[in-house]
Amino acid sequence: MKTKKHVFPHQQCKTNFLALRDSLELLGGKWKLFIVLRIGKNPDDLHHFKKLEKDIIGISAKVLSKELRVLEENKIITRTVQNTRPVTVTYALTKYGQSLIPIAQDLQQWGLNHRKMISGI
Amino acid sequence: MKTKKHVFPHQQCKTNFLALRDSLELLGGKWKLFIVLRIGKNPDDLHHFKKLEKDIIGISAKVLSKELRVLEENKIITRTVQNTRPVTVTYALTKYGQSLIPIAQDLQQWGLNHRKMISGI
DNA sequence: CGGGATCCAATAAGATACTG
DNA sequence: CAGTATCTTATTGGATCCCG
């Protein structure tokens, strides 16, 4: 049973604010954009769960599986199950999910710059 | 006394990943980009604490003050105290902080689009 | 006005074990 | 392989009161 998450007072505000809220809620977490970049940068690789867990250093299986689920629900990635023994699952960015790559890259670039900036260039 | 936050295993990874981590950690929270947009969109207004608290619907004073402090530490906003009685404090975006506006707007735009997308256009 | 201090509830994250 | 379940801890956020 899923309790209705939380109704934000923002629901009375302008659509634009809501939109930013949506984006931050979906993408603002610790890992989602990492996952998107990881998958998106090598679109031709097959992305398996264990591989992602290993590549995205610091993430735990629990968190990874949750993040992947949310990304899938939001049509940003696809999850494909091959019924081999044992099962094989691959993840891929959707075409829609690819629209996040420039955003993630901009953030990455900003962070790169910020690091220089703060460490007092 | 500030306990050393947490040393990420990421500190062994590539700079790019670190950069994205930085950005997400700084900007990925619930409010920071809202504040930046709020201040940045009307650069000629005087932005007072209480006004921001009222405008940014849903934020509490405690959280707002914390967010403002972090933004100031990161040179994204300035905090100016006039010694009137009672004191007046105004916040403004730095020139550097303005570099966040396009990023915030992109996210906002993405969220707008996502909302249409998910509600099944 | 512009917050800080404190207490408490809700969430998120980490560790470990286990399963089809 | 690809996860889930469970338990515990850490972090966030809200509410309230207070202060110069």
Side-chain angles (χ1 to χ4, degrees):
Chain A
M1 184 75 67
K2 212 170 188 176
T3 59
K4 177 73 181 158
K5 256 205 89 152
H6 182 192
V7 179
F8 289 95
H10 292 86
Q11 298 197 336
Q12 296 143 12
C13 329
K14 295 214 295 282
T15 316
N16 284 6
F17 284 95
L18 270 173
L20 181 54
R21 163 73 52 238
D22 284 352
S23 296
L24 286 175
E25 219 152 283
L26 176 56
L27 309 173
K30 204 170 163 183
W31 298 110
K32 248 102 83 193
L33 284 183
F34 271 93
I35 297 171
V36 167
L37 273 193
R38 184 74 197 81
I39 298 182
K41 288 270 188 106
N42 299 65
D44 299 331
D45 289 10
L46 291 182
H47 298 282
H48 303 260
F49 189 90
K50 283 291 178 192
K51 189 69 167 35
L52 289 172
E53 185 184 355
K54 198 161 63 68
D55 286 353
I56 303 174
I57 301 176
I59 202 169
S60 69
K62 187 180 86 174
V63 173
L64 178 57
S65 86
K66 192 199 63 184
E67 302 285 70
L68 289 171
R69 219 177 306 129
V70 173
L71 288 173
E72 193 196 357
E73 285 165 4
N74 282 275
K75 321 261 189 217
I76 290 164
I77 61 173
T78 56
R79 177 174 185 274
T80 311
V81 184
Q82 279 100 0
N83 35 358
T84 50
R85 281 303 319 244
V87 292
T88 319
V89 180
T90 55
Y91 294 92
L93 262 196
T94 61
K95 185 136 182 80
Y96 175 57
Q98 290 170 23
S99 68
L100 282 173
I101 294 184
I103 291 183
Q105 285 175 336
D106 285 352
L107 274 171
Q108 191 168 306
Q109 189 54 51
W110 191 89
L112 218 53
N113 194 59
H114 188 63
R115 189 163 267 248
K116 276 193 283 189
M117 161 77 178
I118 286 301
S119 58
I121 202 170
Chain B
M1 183 77 66
K2 211 171 188 176
T3 57
K4 178 70 181 159
K5 258 206 86 154
H6 183 192
V7 179
F8 288 96
H10 293 86
Q11 299 197 334
Q12 295 143 13
C13 328
K14 294 215 295 281
T15 315
N16 284 5
F17 284 95
L18 270 174
L20 181 53
R21 162 75 52 239
D22 284 352
S23 295
L24 286 175
E25 219 152 282
L26 177 55
L27 308 172
K30 202 171 165 182
W31 297 111
K32 248 100 84 193
L33 284 183
F34 271 92
I35 298 172
V36 167
L37 272 193
R38 184 76 197 80
I39 299 183
K41 288 269 188 109
N42 298 65
D44 299 332
D45 291 9
L46 292 182
H47 299 281
H48 303 262
F49 188 91
K50 283 290 177 191
K51 189 68 168 33
L52 289 172
E53 185 184 354
K54 197 161 62 69
D55 286 353
I56 302 174
I57 301 176
I59 202 169
S60 69
K62 188 180 87 174
V63 173
L64 178 57
S65 85
K66 193 200 61 182
E67 301 284 71
L68 288 171
R69 218 177 308 128
V70 173
L71 288 173
E72 193 197 357
E73 286 166 3
N74 282 274
K75 320 264 189 216
I76 290 166
I77 61 173
T78 57
R79 178 176 184 273
T80 311
V81 184
Q82 279 100 1
N83 34 0
T84 52
R85 283 299 321 245
V87 292
T88 319
V89 180
T90 55
Y91 294 92
L93 261 197
T94 61
K95 184 134 184 79
Y96 175 57
Q98 291 169 23
S99 69
L100 283 173
I101 294 185
I103 291 182
Q105 286 175 336
D106 285 352
L107 274 170
Q108 191 169 306
Q109 190 53 52
W110 191 89
L112 218 53
N113 194 59
H114 188 63
R115 188 162 268 249
K116 276 193 284 189
M117 161 77 177
I118 285 301
S119 57
I121 201 169

